[in-house]
Amino acid sequence: MSARLSERGRLSAQREHARKEALTGLGTFAALVVDANPALIATGELREYGSPSEAVTGLYERWLTAREPLMLLWVSHPSPEVRDLAFSVQAQLELVLRRTAKALERQAELPGASYNKVLVDMTALGQSLSPRALGAREPRMTSG
């Protein structure tokens, strides 16, 4: 019985570590998503880049690295919902960056709706990875 409890504790600790790693990766990706707002790019608000086209290039380079934790979730998470969201969010952001680049070239409409979908799906992914709803209390252990 003690060995089974010990194994259960070890597995629980491994799952918690993996969850925290996934949330850390998602946090890095979220910072990229905030910067990849097409309106911020087009107006030159991202001061670390010299121009809107340099911003798209720089953000795309960041996307290449920031997507890796999401791809790991896509191939390894037990939940189909998490796998689908992880793949979808990173792919959607790449599409937003490409559409933003084209809109800047052609002075066309920015992909605002596509960007908003990234935000919604990224939030859903974060909530799916959270151990419980915000404000929920942990269950108390009772001895019986």
Side-chain angles (χ1 to χ4, degrees), residues 42 52-53 98-111:
S53 62
R98 278 192 289 122
R99 287 181 175 168
T100 300
K102 286 181 182 178
L104 292 172
E105 289 171 8
R106 299 177 183 150
Q107 296 185 351
E109 185 177 342
L110 295 169

Side-chain angles (χ1 to χ4, degrees):
M1 175 104 165
S2 177
R4 203 172 345 159
L5 288 175
S6 178
E7 177 67 12
R8 191 178 300 164
R10 185 183 65 74
L11 291 173
S12 178
Q14 283 178 337
R15 281 191 301 273
E16 180 63 15
H17 177 74
R19 186 187 66 76
K20 285 181 180 179
E21 290 281 320
L23 285 171
T24 298
L26 185 59
T28 299
F29 195 83
L32 170 61
V33 170
V34 169
D35 288 349
N37 182 325
L40 293 178
I41 295 169
T43 58
E45 294 293 322
L46 301 174
R47 295 184 186 141
E48 61 268 35
Y49 303 104
S51 69
S53 62
E54 287 178 19
V56 171
T57 300
L59 291 166
Y60 188 82
E61 289 171 6
R62 284 176 54 196
W63 171 82
L64 289 170
T65 302
R67 71 191 284 255
E68 291 175 7
L70 283 92
M71 298 309 293
L72 182 60
L73 281 173
W74 176 54
V75 299
S76 67
H77 200 278
S79 165
E81 178 187 15
V82 169
R83 289 194 308 268
D84 290 347
L85 285 169
F87 183 84
S88 177
V89 164
Q90 63 81 34
Q92 288 174 45
L93 185 60
E94 192 270 342
L95 182 61
V96 165
L97 291 171
R98 278 192 289 122
R99 287 181 175 168
T100 300
K102 286 181 182 178
L104 292 172
E105 289 171 8
R106 299 177 183 150
Q107 296 185 351
E109 185 177 342
L110 295 169
S114 298
Y115 177 74
N116 290 337
K117 175 92 170 99
V118 173
L119 293 173
V120 167
D121 286 354
M122 185 181 61
T123 300
L125 178 58
Q127 290 172 346
S128 294
L129 293 171
S130 294
R132 60 190 175 279
L134 292 176
R137 295 179 184 256
E138 286 192 34
R140 293 189 177 182
M141 298 294 286
T142 59
S143 56

